[in-house]
Amino acid sequence: MFSVDLSPAGISAAKKVPNFWNNIHFHPTDAIEDDWGWSILDEVAADHAAKTVRMYSMFEDIVSRGADGKLNYDFTLNDIRMDYMVSKGFDLFISYNFMPACMASDDSVRSAQAKNKTRYKGKLIITSPPKDYGEWEEVCRVYTQHLVERYGMERVSHWYMQCWNEPDIPAFFISDQPDDAAGVALRLSAYLELYRAFAHGVKGVSENLRIGQSHACRNNFLDGFLKAVKEEHLPIDYISLHGYGTSVWDLHREPKKRFCIRNNIQLIEDRIAICDRYYPELPIINDEWGAASQGFYNREECPEFMFREGSEYAAYFCKMVAGYIERGTKLSKMMICLSGQHAMVVAFSGIRNFFTMNHIRKPIYNAYVLMGKLFETVVHCGEDGNMTRIVTVSEDRTKAAATLAYAPEYFDETLPVREESIRFAGVTGRKTVTIWLIDDTHQNPYRYALRQGYGDGLYNDNQIKELRAEGVLKPFEQYEQDFDKNEIVAVKLDNNALCLIEIG
């Protein structure tokens, strides 16, 4: 039996851990003007599944050039997206991204980064730098000024402004040059110029606005960038990192690069060590994470990506958050990357998102909802073999919330059913106990479809209705308990289970 002391003496050594995990990167940004994008974000907002949302500015939709050669601005689509996000109460993380054709040094230098050869709505990414960095600075300043005028400095000063997305890889920046040492050096030099102009443009509106960079995977790029920013005394308010646990290729060629939370954590901590050489005081934001990269890849390219459809991803999320808390990793926010929704052709396809093509909730989405119920006072966080526990208590000690994740290290074996009993010492009086459970047979539409013999592809209207109902989060068990007489809460956990126990 596991015991935790929630009495005043027991929680004296508890630590405050603000929720850094309930944040997302929503892609494609231009789905935020469409019904299907709203249908997802409506639920995310209603369920408090995410507080901060990363999105793109999409300058390609805003900036054009007039007959007089001057830049023109049309914020119509931007305002539709931003108005919606603000109305839902999200804080925003805005990547200043997508070079307008009229500004690009070479608008033929493009890439897709999508399974269907184009981005959403048939677009391609122009990856070349601007032909005039002064114009880039102007665009950053005018856009920022528009945000401040429309939404107010008090609100916008809490947002995050980011220069570009993943400039250290060819797919997003200077895609016509190779990904070798010379290519990294070229991208670093061009990105520093891009960042200088971005910083001058945004900070020219107000010094109170928060700015930072983007980093994908080239650690020498990150080191070189931070070194130059430090030497030049350029403004920077946070450092942004991307980190994925594995990839299509690593899954098959490196035994230790299978699905495992330690891969995510080690990757981020190695990069934080680089950041701390130059800016140990700055907050670190992991604005893209996933158990695996290749968001547009699914089971067709990699059958293992069906991991994203099952309860194992829910357990993975909990175990990873616990790992960061237990290790004291300096991480102010992390954002799961959701992408590829528009590329789905079957319901359960292994693409990284919260909802299927038929708007059926996945276990990873419900895991976000459950993990959002944890309190900031962490009384216990740790791993015991295959069991991971996070126990929290409310500020006034009238409520407690604990998550349990029961899964093997590499999610590649079937564990026996486990009877888990927790003694909540120090809890007194009559309380309502609510137990939420995600596993192969609870809150798992994909496994439900297989059990019903529906397959995992396309469904009729009745089956879709049934599967949507299966995905709706509901308590597994709820009852009244007198903790003066019995301090123990027991639950039975199956393989790859995520459980939340609420007491209040």
Side-chain angles (χ1 to χ4, degrees):
M1 179 186 298
F2 176 78
S3 183
V4 61
D5 187 358
L6 300 184
S7 68
I11 66 173
S12 60
K15 58 182 178 180
K16 290 284 187 180
V17 181
N19 183 322
F20 60 83
W21 51 88
N22 275 101
N23 310 287
I24 63 174
H25 170 39
F26 187 80
H27 179 73
T29 291
D30 33 354
I32 305 175
E33 68 211 38
D34 297 337
D35 289 342
W36 72 266
W38 288 355
S39 69
I40 293 171
L41 291 167
D42 281 351
E43 294 204 39
V44 171
D47 291 332
H48 305 288
K51 294 183 288 187
T52 300
V53 180
R54 181 175 181 246
M55 57 188 292
Y56 297 126
S57 63
M58 300 196 69
F59 289 145
E60 61 194 350
D61 292 342
I62 296 171
V63 181
S64 60
R65 193 178 299 279
D68 59 0
K70 295 181 179 179
L71 297 181
N72 294 329
Y73 299 87
D74 181 354
F75 294 104
T76 302
L77 291 175
N78 175 84
D79 293 349
I80 290 172
R81 299 164 190 153
M82 293 289 182
D83 288 355
Y84 169 82
M85 299 299 279
V86 168
S87 74
K88 293 298 174 182
F90 294 122
D91 284 331
L92 299 182
F93 187 112
I94 306 171
S95 182
Y96 283 42
N97 203 24
F98 299 127
M99 190 64 65
C102 66
M103 291 175 57
S105 55
D106 185 349
D107 69 2
S108 69
V109 179
R110 303 183 177 216
S111 70
Q113 281 303 96
K115 188 172 181 176
N116 56 4
K117 308 306 179 188
T118 68
R119 287 162 48 218
Y120 186 47
K121 301 184 178 179
K123 296 176 181 177
L124 291 169
I125 299 167
I126 297 176
T127 70
S128 76
K131 54 191 170 191
D132 183 341
Y133 284 94
E135 285 193 337
W136 170 252
E137 179 178 336
E138 176 195 330
V139 167
C140 294
R141 176 183 56 78
V142 171
Y143 179 71
T144 304
Q145 186 65 46
H146 175 77
L147 295 179
V148 170
E149 290 174 356
R150 190 171 183 88
Y151 305 109
M153 179 59 72
E154 182 177 357
R155 185 191 304 274
V156 178
S157 64
H158 289 93
W159 294 355
Y160 298 83
M161 314 305 186
Q162 179 184 61
C163 183
W164 211 252
N165 173 68
E166 299 187 344
D168 51 329
I169 60 174
F172 291 102
F173 197 51
I174 316 181
S175 57
D176 60 336
Q177 296 300 312
D179 189 15
D180 55 14
V184 171
L186 175 64
R187 288 183 188 88
L188 176 57
S189 176
Y191 183 64
L192 281 166
E193 192 70 22
L194 199 73
Y195 185 83
R196 290 185 194 102
F198 160 81
H200 292 152
V202 176
K203 290 291 189 178
V205 176
S206 173
E207 289 291 332
N208 294 326
L209 297 173
R210 294 188 286 196
I211 66 169
Q213 47 46 268
S214 176
H215 172 259
C217 55
R218 305 289 180 264
N219 286 357
N220 55 342
F221 186 101
L222 177 66
D223 189 281
F225 173 82
L226 294 176
K227 182 174 185 290
V229 169
K230 188 78 171 180
E231 290 175 348
E232 295 184 32
H233 304 287
L234 293 174
I236 186 169
D237 300 303
Y238 65 88
I239 300 175
S240 172
L241 308 173
H242 294 178
Y244 294 92
T246 188
S247 68
V248 169
W249 306 281
D250 287 343
L251 273 168
H252 298 131
R253 70 186 179 194
E254 295 188 44
K256 291 186 178 180
K257 288 289 282 184
R258 290 170 288 160
F259 295 118
C260 178
I261 60 113
R262 302 190 198 289
N263 293 333
N264 289 80
I265 293 173
Q266 190 61 59
L267 191 72
I268 291 299
E269 289 188 341
D270 287 348
R271 291 171 183 172
I272 289 175
I274 296 172
C275 300
D276 284 348
R277 293 177 199 163
Y278 305 100
Y279 293 100
E281 76 283 2
L282 287 186
I284 305 294
I285 297 176
N286 178 195
D287 68 83
E288 284 191 29
W289 79 267
S293 55
Q294 288 83 37
F296 291 96
Y297 281 25
N298 60 21
R299 69 191 203 184
E300 293 177 359
E301 293 86 6
C302 184
E304 292 91 339
F305 279 0
M306 292 304 282
F307 179 95
R308 294 165 171 163
E309 305 291 344
S311 64
E312 51 265 54
Y313 206 1
Y316 189 104
F317 176 45
C318 177
K319 286 169 70 73
M320 186 174 64
V321 171
Y324 282 130
I325 294 174
E326 185 180 15
R327 295 167 65 91
T329 305
K330 186 178 72 174
L331 199 60
S332 63
K333 290 185 188 297
M334 53 183 267
M335 304 176 184
I336 192 171
C337 185
L338 307 174
S339 65
Q341 292 101 321
H342 62 286
M344 291 184 288
V345 294
V346 295
F348 299 108
S349 58
I351 286 178
R352 60 183 187 197
N353 46 25
F354 275 166
F355 292 81
T356 74
M357 178 179 68
N358 304 118
H359 201 74
I360 300 164
R361 292 180 177 213
K362 295 186 178 184
I364 182 61
Y365 176 75
N366 283 331
Y368 261 71
V369 178
L370 294 186
M371 291 289 288
K373 295 177 180 288
L374 293 175
F375 299 107
E376 289 190 356
T377 302
V378 177
V379 182
H380 171 83
C381 181
E383 188 175 57
D384 174 16
N386 294 314
M387 181 66 70
T388 299
R389 306 180 187 91
I390 307 173
V391 184
T392 67
V393 66
S394 62
E395 188 73 28
D396 60 6
R397 290 187 50 251
T398 62
K399 299 177 182 179
T403 56
L404 312 173
Y406 178 53
E409 182 177 11
Y410 291 102
F411 302 87
D412 59 352
E413 58 183 291
T414 300
L415 301 178
V417 173
R418 174 164 172 163
E419 298 272 359
E420 178 72 1
S421 296
I422 301 180
R423 178 173 175 260
F424 291 94
V427 176
T428 60
R430 193 167 187 81
K431 303 287 187 182
T432 299
V433 177
T434 306
I435 297 175
W436 309 81
L437 185 61
I438 301 172
D439 60 19
D440 274 359
T441 55
H442 300 92
Q443 310 291 169
N444 196 330
Y446 171 57
R447 293 295 179 187
Y448 177 85
L450 295 182
R451 288 197 305 274
Q452 296 299 110
Y454 296 162
D456 54 3
L458 298 172
Y459 305 104
N460 62 42
D461 290 345
N462 288 334
Q463 290 169 338
I464 290 171
K465 184 178 180 180
E466 195 175 333
L467 291 167
R468 285 177 180 169
E470 180 67 18
V472 173
L473 192 60
K474 45 193 170 292
F476 170 71
E477 192 174 5
Q478 190 171 59
Y479 54 87
E480 297 294 311
Q481 181 167 319
D482 187 345
F483 280 81
D484 291 328
K485 297 179 179 179
N486 178 21
E487 298 175 323
I488 298 171
V489 175
V491 64
K492 186 180 293 186
L493 299 179
D494 207 342
N495 189 50
N496 291 326
L498 172 64
C499 175
L500 173 73
I501 300 171
E502 287 187 289
I503 301 172

